[in-house]
Amino acid sequence: MLILIPHRAAETLRGAGPWGRLTLRIDRPEGRAVVAGISQRGNGIIPVDPDLRSRLLSSCDTTPTGYWYRASAELHAIWIELRKRCNTATALDIFKAHVPSGFKAPGAEGYLALTHAPGMQDAFPEHHLPDLLAWHITPTQAVPLAVSAEPATTGIQQLDGHWPTQRLQQTRVMLIGTGSIGSATAHALAGYGVGHLTLVDPDRLDWHNLVRHTSARQHIGRLKVDALAEELAALRPDTVTAPLALNVITDADRIRALLTDTDLAVCTADGVAARRVTGHLARRAGLTAVLACVLNDGAIGEIMRLRPRPGHGCLTCRRQHLIEAGGIDPEPALDAGYGTGTPHRPMTAVGPDLHLVAHLAAKTAVASILERAGHPDQRLPGEHALIALRRQPDWAPPFDLARTTELRWLPASPPQNGCPTCETP
Ligand SMILES: [Zn+2]
């Protein structure tokens, strides 16, 4: 049995008087239990559960289970020694000798006990011994039990000092498109510690999405943004999400208003039109946009970073520039309207290939934010990345990637004359 002590329970135990009673929720088949309530001496038991979202074993009953005691640091050193020797027990008299007050004699079945040794750091400064431990007390013995107390710091804050978590927690990213690439992009952005994510997609999760999407079958029929927001709340609680069932093309006015409160826009929506509109709205708002898609039925992943700089052309100008240089337009047939009833086009791309593109898009977005915030070690090699998911040697340059996973970064290309996006209105 592993005894779990959530942070609030641990803090209550550390601050309470020399002994008390316990309630736990116990999951016997999986061999784990979580502390749910604590009393001071023989007084009433006070719940120490975290909020419902963070609560463990919430479907198990809460049962009075044993006692907790203030104990000496030496008792915890004994616990460590016993665990090293594969759970041999110590005599009950030894346990009692290290518990100054309140010890209760066990019945025939025994009970679970927690011990708090406040002097651990002073007594054994070099050993980092835990100040909260668990035991099974029988009529003759005290058996050490596995225990895990929640540390004071969890979540993205754990990376403070190693990763600019505080800067990213203040960052607001709008993600347009929460399909197979977008859902994985959202998870990656949250994993990097982006504090605010606006999720924009009008679509609902459908059966055929499951094979590539991060959402599970239980969410079928729900808005993709709502399913994703719920998953992120459980998995990455440091990221606040705002799910919006909007279409970037038909609801462009709403999106434009929201961009005034956004640091960077990412578009992973189906179809070139959605990416073109995202690039246009971001440019007008003075923001960087990161556009991600796959080309040629999933053979190549493409990430385009559009920064609002004088010499940097938009998506359309970029495509036109490559055609004029003797290349191709890699997505001429994808001009069909976004969300206009276009039937699902089965792609050959497999989920993890799309997620690879998604993670590269999220990294591009986060690196762009950090470079601007004074982190030159996050500078990217270019503005336009192509990654081969299958080798593509017969395509025109720069899409002629010769080997799978080959990654090619290209510079920005200049705006074309008369471009409605690139020319200042
Ligand atoms: Zn342009």
Side-chain angles (χ1 to χ4, degrees):
M1 181 71 75
L2 170 64
I3 311 301
L4 303 168
I5 309 176
H7 184 59
R8 191 171 155 210
E11 287 300 287
T12 307
L13 282 169
R14 288 177 181 126
W19 66 275
R21 294 180 294 145
L22 292 173
T23 56
L24 281 89
R25 280 190 297 274
I26 303 171
D27 177 1
R28 293 193 188 279
E30 294 210 351
R32 56 188 187 140
V34 63
V35 178
I38 290 161
S39 83
Q40 297 245 35
R41 302 176 187 264
N43 298 333
I45 287 176
I46 300 161
V48 288
D49 277 321
D51 66 70
L52 199 57
R53 211 176 64 186
S54 321
R55 200 168 294 173
L56 297 170
L57 308 187
S58 53
S59 62
C60 299
D61 291 333
T62 302
T63 44
T65 309
Y67 296 90
W68 70 272
Y69 303 113
R70 190 80 72 236
S72 71
E74 289 73 21
L75 183 64
H76 283 205
I78 290 170
W79 185 97
I80 300 282
E81 278 304 310
L82 294 171
R83 292 287 293 181
K84 271 189 202 157
R85 286 186 267 136
C86 296
N87 264 0
T88 49
T90 190
L92 188 61
D93 285 343
I94 294 176
F95 182 90
K96 277 165 69 176
H98 288 281
V99 171
S101 72
F103 181 77
K104 304 293 175 207
E109 289 190 357
Y111 63 79
L112 182 125
L114 295 182
T115 51
H116 173 231
M120 290 309 295
Q121 282 310 318
D122 296 334
F124 303 99
E126 71 281 18
H127 285 91
H128 302 290
L129 298 182
D131 67 337
L132 291 165
L133 291 176
W135 308 77
H136 183 236
I137 305 298
T138 75
T140 57
Q141 292 183 319
V143 184
L145 298 180
V147 63
S148 176
E150 182 182 3
T153 304
T154 55
I156 198 73
Q157 280 185 358
Q158 283 175 265
L159 303 181
D160 279 355
H162 306 282
W163 179 245
T165 50
Q166 294 187 6
R167 179 69 191 77
L168 289 167
Q169 281 284 285
Q170 295 159 15
T171 298
R172 311 179 78 89
V173 173
M174 179 184 287
L175 174 64
I176 293 160
T178 57
S180 37
I181 298 179
S183 61
T185 304
H187 280 270
L189 289 168
Y192 280 122
V194 169
H196 300 267
L197 261 185
T198 304
L199 305 171
V200 177
D201 196 318
D203 289 349
R204 290 177 183 274
L205 191 71
D206 206 346
W207 304 98
H208 65 256
N209 297 138
L210 294 182
V211 68
R212 299 183 189 90
H213 207 274
T214 61
S215 288
R217 183 185 167 92
Q218 73 198 69
H219 295 293
I220 286 181
R222 297 185 73 194
L223 287 165
K224 288 175 179 174
V225 288
D226 286 342
L228 190 54
E230 194 174 299
E231 288 169 346
L232 290 172
L235 203 58
R236 304 280 172 227
D238 298 311
T239 299
V240 176
T241 56
L244 297 172
L246 296 177
N247 178 318
V248 68
I249 298 170
T250 55
D251 299 310
D253 286 341
R254 295 274 309 275
I255 303 292
R256 185 181 292 115
L258 291 164
L259 284 175
T260 58
D261 194 27
T262 299
D263 296 305
L264 183 142
V266 180
C267 183
T268 58
D270 276 342
V272 67
R275 274 176 287 128
R276 192 174 287 155
V277 170
T278 300
H280 181 84
L281 294 173
R283 182 118 187 167
R284 284 287 172 271
L287 300 180
T288 295
V290 173
L291 315 178
C293 66
V294 289
L295 305 170
N296 203 19
D297 277 345
I300 288 179
E302 181 184 63
I303 316 290
M304 208 179 280
R305 174 169 66 163
L306 303 175
R307 294 196 278 184
R309 294 183 169 186
H312 289 210
C314 67
L315 169 62
T316 312
C317 292
R318 177 86 190 134
R319 294 278 189 250
Q320 194 59 35
H321 180 80
L322 292 177
I323 292 165
E324 285 170 11
I328 52 164
D329 183 351
E331 48 180 353
L334 294 181
D335 250 322
Y338 168 84
T340 52
T342 316
H344 172 66
R345 223 162 61 91
M347 291 193 304
T348 49
V350 67
D353 273 1
L354 298 176
H355 297 183
L356 192 60
V357 176
H359 282 225
L360 190 57
K363 179 68 184 174
T364 300
V366 167
S368 302
I369 291 159
L370 291 179
E371 191 199 336
R372 278 196 66 177
H375 294 269
D377 58 347
Q378 293 292 317
R379 183 165 298 148
L380 296 170
E383 305 298 321
H384 183 183
L386 300 169
I387 181 166
L389 305 172
R390 299 192 300 273
R391 71 194 205 97
Q392 197 71 19
D394 301 329
W395 259 25
F399 302 98
D400 55 336
L401 301 174
R403 292 281 185 269
T404 293
T405 75
E406 187 176 340
L407 177 62
R408 181 174 292 166
W409 279 94
L410 308 161
S413 51
Q416 305 277 307
N417 283 333
C419 171
T421 294
C422 295
E423 288 203 343
T424 314

